[in-house]
Amino acid sequence: MLSWFRKQGRGKAPSSVEAIQLRARDCHSHVLPGVDDGSRTLDESLDMLRLLQDEGVHRVIATSHIYPGRFPNERETLQPVFDTLVESASAAGLTIELELGAEHYLDDSLGPRVESGQHIEFGPERYVLFETHTFDQVPTSLFTTVATMRDRGLTPLMAHVERYQYLSGAEGWEVIEDLRAIGVKFQVNRTIGKINVPGEGRRGRMLEKLARAGYIDEVGSDLHRATPEGRPYAMPNGK
Ligand SMILES: [Fe+2]
C-alpha cells in the first residue's frame, strides 16, 4: 500500500496525469461502526484505521452521514460511538489520530441546523463538510446555506466535488467560481485504481480542471470498507 502513497505538498496542483493522493489528514471517511453505510462493526473500523495508517495518514476525520430520512445521526448519537472507537484504537496499538466530524446532506434543513449550532465542525478551519444531490440542477438552498455557514465564521467544505452533474460543463464551472468567491472550499476523493483518475471520464475531467485551477483544498478517502477502494457493494443513490 505504501508503494502508491506519496505525501504531497499542500496547495500543489498535480498535473493532468498525476493521481490525487491522500494527505496526512484524511478529511472524509466513514470509519464509525454501525451509524451509516460505512463500517459495520468495531473490528471493521479498526481494520479501516489500520489501512489508512499504513498508507501514511496521521489523522482521520470521522465524517459519518447526517442525512435526514436516511441516516438521522446527531452529535449525541455519534459521540459515544466515536469515543469507543478512540479507546479501541488506542488499545489495539494504533497511533492514527481521530477527530469527530460529519458529512452533512444539504437540504432545506441544513441552514437551520447550522444556525442553531446542531452541525458538527472540525479542524482549525472550522470546516463543515457537506454533500448535495448529484443531479443536473443546482440545489435550491446551496448558496443560502453556505452563506449561513460563512456568516457564522464556519468554512463550508464541499464533499467529492468531482461527483456533481450540475458542476460539469461551462455553466457548472461558473457555479464553481461563484462558490469559490464566497469562500467555499473543495474536497475531492483520491484516485484509487481506475477510480477518479484525472482526465478520465466526467469525474476525471472535473478533477483535472480543479487541480489545474488550484481548487483542490482537501483530499479524502471516503472510506466505507476495509479495502483500498473502500466502497460498500451498493451505494445509496447509485453513488
Ligand atoms: Fe462520504
Side-chain angles (χ1 to χ4, degrees):
M1 214 60 64
L2 283 168
S3 61
W4 55 264
F5 177 85
R6 289 189 298 278
K7 213 184 269 184
Q8 192 173 302
R10 289 176 65 87
K12 179 188 168 200
S15 77
S16 60
V17 294
E18 282 185 82
I20 309 295
Q21 307 282 353
L22 281 180
R23 298 172 182 174
R25 181 176 64 167
D26 179 2
C27 277
H28 187 159
S29 74
H30 297 268
V31 294
L32 293 191
V35 296
D36 63 6
D37 57 343
S39 171
R40 295 157 292 184
T41 65
L42 187 55
D43 281 346
E44 187 170 38
S45 295
L46 294 174
D47 286 344
M48 291 164 73
L49 293 179
R50 199 168 290 115
L51 188 81
L52 291 172
Q53 182 174 298
D54 288 348
E55 290 172 11
V57 173
H58 295 164
R59 187 175 187 82
V60 59
I61 316 299
T63 55
S64 306
H65 289 287
I66 293 182
Y67 193 145
R70 188 186 294 272
F71 303 114
N73 288 309
E74 299 288 345
R75 175 179 291 280
E76 293 70 25
T77 62
L78 297 175
Q79 188 71 56
V81 181
F82 175 82
D83 292 342
T84 298
L85 182 57
V86 169
E87 282 179 25
S88 302
S90 176
L94 291 166
T95 56
I96 195 167
E97 296 173 356
L98 281 146
E99 182 173 350
L100 183 63
E103 182 180 12
H104 298 275
Y105 186 78
L106 186 141
D107 62 12
D108 290 347
S109 70
L110 183 53
R113 175 183 286 277
V114 169
E115 281 177 345
S116 62
Q118 299 299 301
H119 65 282
I120 301 178
E121 62 193 72
F122 62 88
E125 302 88 349
R126 301 190 66 193
Y127 277 142
V128 180
L129 183 71
F130 70 96
E131 64 173 340
T132 78
H133 73 68
T134 59
F135 310 119
D136 58 3
Q137 295 291 317
V138 178
T140 52
S141 56
L142 176 59
F143 281 89
T144 54
T145 303
V146 297
T148 298
M149 293 178 193
R150 296 297 288 146
D151 288 347
R152 297 185 63 83
L154 302 164
T155 305
L157 180 62
M158 194 170 195
H160 34 60
V161 175
E162 72 278 9
R163 192 175 283 181
Y164 308 109
Q165 287 185 37
Y166 63 86
L167 295 180
S168 63
E171 278 185 30
W173 192 258
E174 287 182 20
V175 178
I176 292 238
E177 295 285 10
D178 289 345
L179 290 169
R180 295 299 289 183
I182 58 171
V184 176
K185 301 295 185 183
F186 294 150
Q187 178 260 312
V188 301
N189 286 357
R190 64 170 166 179
T191 306
I192 182 83
K194 294 184 176 177
I195 302 168
N196 274 13
V197 177
E200 292 187 13
R202 184 174 64 79
R203 293 182 186 185
R205 285 192 296 277
M206 175 61 88
L207 285 171
E208 185 175 347
K209 282 175 76 174
L210 290 166
R212 285 183 180 282
Y215 284 177
I216 297 179
D217 300 297
E218 301 292 347
V219 178
S221 66
D222 203 359
L223 202 65
H224 284 68
R225 293 286 184 269
T227 63
E229 291 84 2
R231 310 302 293 175
Y233 292 110
M235 295 295 292
N237 296 334
K239 290 195 288 188

